Amino acid sequence: MTNLWKKMILAAVVFLMVPALRVQAETGSGVIQFSTTSAQVKKGETFTVVCQVTSTEPFLDVDFTAQYDSSVMEFVRGGKKVTGTGGILKVSSVGNETETTKKTFSLQFVAVKKGTSVISVQGTADITDEEGTAFSVSSNQLAVTVGKKKAGQMEQPPEGEPPVVTPEPVLSNNNRLKSLKTTAVKMTPEFSGEVTDYTATVDSNADVLYVTFETEEETARVQLFGNENLKAGQNRVQVLVTAENGDKREYNIDVTRETESETSKRENEENAKSKDISFSISKKKNRIILKNSYEFEVLDASELTNIPAGYVQSSIELNGISVPAFTMENDLDNNYLLLYLKGPSGDKGIYQYDRKEQTLQRYTGSMIDRVNKSAGETQDSSFSLTPNYILLGIIVGLIILVLCMLIAMLKMAMKKKEEKNSQDYLDF
């Protein structure tokens, strides 16, 4: 009887302690963000929507469905991980062996009809780690507006009227690019429409080279080849421009994808060489100017269509001047925030400002993401600390109560056994 009661007590303790162990388990959170270089496109134009999945903790697999208005824009391609048509896309990157905190998918569409289409996540998205734990997921919606037809496209005559005979148009032979930009960490030489051969470098995490371009002639068509599934080492990316009359021009980019050690070494060297830019601030009419060795103009933060994850639009006071800025969503008082500036060369970009040191430097995302993540983790732990202790106290109380009941039952059983033995002795 004694061994049986011991086993029952041990089983009750193990059963009640399991939820206490689960209290400590935490899951990550993920964000699915859709973005594009321009939310205004013309009918007949091909454009790319970038879908980026990021998380606070490393994850392994991603699986979700995206929806859009197929009467306004038609899906063309999206790599091996994206399939679908008719307004529904399946984005599935499963069976992976290496965890990461970021995955990017390139979704190519063609504008087919005037109107506005919203692309968003349909239903529930699954982001899981190597243990199969599901993350909490949030996502944004991207609206793409299709405008009037491109120049040179003909309207059909009204039904019942004979077509108007027009002279055969002279087709353009211009197959040059006006601009070409990539997500490479560096590309040489500087782009020129007459130069067709370039070399570029991407970091070890980049398996896709995203390319944005503008043709000199609006009627020219552009095709990309080899910019997806980049392997470590040498890759060849081709940008094929076809003029209206069919003449072709090929821009070649020899892309080197770094190894992890090469990326780490390069970033360390760049950080060692980088110098903060201290600055003063002044206001000229309606312009806010930051100036030291170079002059920067503060731009309207609302112009940004792709706000870095983890930030919200706000403003700060610098020497009595209100400056639009982006502060950390999880830590509004953090020393680090972002400013949207125009540099001396006319390029617009995001810069990181340190309130404590009063310094400014080009925003790369790496340090801010770590600070923001750390702030988010601190906030999460402080938020969940009290409920965890309350639940743990309840569980310990239940364990003590069960043990008291078992001991009382054991004493009663032993007392009955002694009474029975005593009665048997008297009967004897």
Side-chain angles (χ1 to χ4, degrees):
M1 179 65 72
T2 301
N3 291 335
L4 177 60
W5 282 111
K6 287 182 178 180
K7 291 180 181 180
M8 290 176 64
I9 293 172
L10 179 61
V13 171
V14 172
F15 176 77
L16 292 173
M17 284 299 294
V18 169
L21 297 176
R22 291 179 179 172
V23 168
Q24 305 301 324
E26 296 182 356
T27 59
S29 62
V31 176
I32 300 174
Q33 185 165 5
F34 299 98
S35 62
T36 184
T37 55
S38 175
Q40 302 283 336
V41 296
K42 296 179 180 179
K43 182 178 177 181
E45 185 177 355
T46 299
F47 61 95
T48 299
V49 172
V50 176
C51 175
Q52 191 170 79
V53 182
T54 57
S55 69
T56 58
E57 300 292 340
F59 63 91
L60 196 64
D61 293 337
V62 177
D63 189 42
F64 65 92
T65 300
Q67 59 186 359
Y68 62 95
D69 189 344
S70 59
S71 67
V72 175
M73 61 189 205
E74 181 179 326
F75 177 66
V76 178
R77 63 175 182 169
K80 297 179 180 179
K81 307 296 184 182
V82 184
T83 58
T85 185
I88 300 295
L89 296 179
K90 181 67 173 177
V91 181
S92 182
S93 177
V94 297
N96 300 305
E97 297 180 354
T98 304
E99 287 190 313
T100 182
T101 57
K102 180 175 70 174
K103 283 185 180 291
T104 307
F105 306 93
S106 177
L107 315 177
Q108 194 174 73
F109 295 88
V110 61
V112 297
K113 179 184 175 182
K114 288 179 62 176
T116 299
S117 174
V118 175
I119 182 169
S120 61
V121 173
Q122 181 188 63
T124 303
D126 291 328
I127 300 178
T128 55
D129 58 20
E130 62 181 358
E131 296 178 354
T133 303
F135 289 15
S136 61
V137 183
S138 60
S139 63
N140 72 327
Q141 295 182 342
L142 174 67
V144 178
T145 301
V146 178
K148 63 182 180 180
K149 294 183 179 181
K150 297 174 68 174
Q153 292 183 333
M154 302 288 292
E155 293 284 353
Q156 294 295 325
E159 187 175 354
E161 294 185 13
V164 178
V165 179
T166 58
E168 184 174 344
V170 177
L171 302 180
S172 172
N173 65 351
N174 189 339
N175 55 14
R176 291 187 299 275
L177 288 177
K178 183 178 180 180
S179 67
L180 177 66
K181 297 180 180 180
T182 72
T183 53
V185 294
K186 64 178 179 179
M187 188 175 82
T188 56
E190 184 177 351
F191 176 76
S192 168
E194 297 298 330
V195 178
T196 57
D197 293 308
Y198 299 87
T199 59
T201 302
V202 298
D203 64 34
S204 58
N205 293 321
D207 58 355
V208 177
L209 180 70
Y210 293 102
V211 179
T212 58
F213 49 80
E214 183 180 357
T215 58
E216 291 186 1
E217 177 59 53
E218 192 179 57
T219 57
R221 304 190 313 274
V222 179
Q223 296 173 282
L224 296 177
F225 301 95
N227 65 313
E228 298 179 347
N229 300 318
L230 300 178
K231 65 180 186 299
Q234 298 300 313
N235 302 265
R236 169 62 69 92
V237 176
Q238 297 174 329
V239 184
L240 179 63
V241 184
T242 304
E244 189 179 24
N245 69 349
D247 290 350
K248 301 181 184 298
R249 179 185 295 262
E250 189 175 277
Y251 294 87
N252 298 311
I253 308 175
D254 290 323
V255 181
T256 301
R257 180 178 176 181
E258 297 174 329
T259 62
E260 291 185 4
S261 60
E262 289 172 338
T263 296
S264 178
K265 180 181 178 181
R266 174 179 53 77
E267 289 179 345
N268 290 336
E269 291 175 351
E270 290 175 352
N271 291 334
K273 293 179 181 178
S274 65
K275 295 182 179 179
D276 291 347
I277 309 169
S278 60
F279 66 97
S280 62
I281 182 170
S282 61
K283 194 168 185 179
K284 299 178 180 179
K285 295 183 179 180
N286 294 326
R287 300 170 63 221
I288 300 174
I289 303 299
L290 307 179
K291 188 176 181 180
N292 189 19
S293 301
Y294 301 97
E295 184 174 284
F296 297 84
E297 179 182 354
V298 179
L299 303 176
D300 186 357
S302 63
E303 293 180 2
L304 280 176
T305 57
N306 189 11
I307 300 174
Y311 289 87
V312 293
Q313 188 171 342
S314 182
S315 63
I316 59 169
E317 291 286 334
L318 297 179
N319 296 339
I321 299 175
S322 179
V323 178
F326 294 97
T327 55
M328 293 185 185
E329 185 175 11
N330 293 327
D331 188 1
L332 299 179
D333 296 324
N334 195 279
N335 286 333
Y336 298 100
L337 47 82
L338 304 182
L339 303 176
Y340 184 38
L341 308 176
K342 182 168 72 174
S345 63
D347 292 338
K348 299 178 181 180
I350 301 176
Y351 288 79
Q352 173 184 295
Y353 174 68
D354 186 337
R355 289 193 245 214
K356 183 177 180 180
E357 301 294 335
Q358 293 187 330
T359 55
L360 186 75
Q361 66 184 57
R362 191 78 178 186
Y363 172 68
T364 61
S366 57
M367 182 168 67
I368 287 294
D369 289 343
R370 290 196 296 270
V371 173
N372 198 31
K373 176 182 174 183
S374 176
E377 289 174 346
T378 301
Q379 198 174 60
D380 288 344
S381 62
S382 64
F383 176 81
S384 60
L385 183 61
T386 301
N388 284 353
Y389 276 117
I390 292 174
L391 182 57
L392 187 59
I394 292 173
I395 292 174
V396 171
L398 289 174
I399 292 174
I400 295 173
L401 179 61
V402 170
L403 290 175
C404 291
M405 292 176 62
L406 291 176
I407 292 171
M409 294 173 63
L410 181 61
K411 288 182 176 181
M412 290 176 62
M414 294 177 64
K415 184 177 180 181
K416 288 182 178 181
K417 184 176 181 181
E418 290 175 355
E419 291 177 350
K420 182 179 179 181
N421 292 338
S422 176
Q423 185 63 40
D424 290 343
Y425 177 78
L426 293 175
D427 291 343
F428 176 76

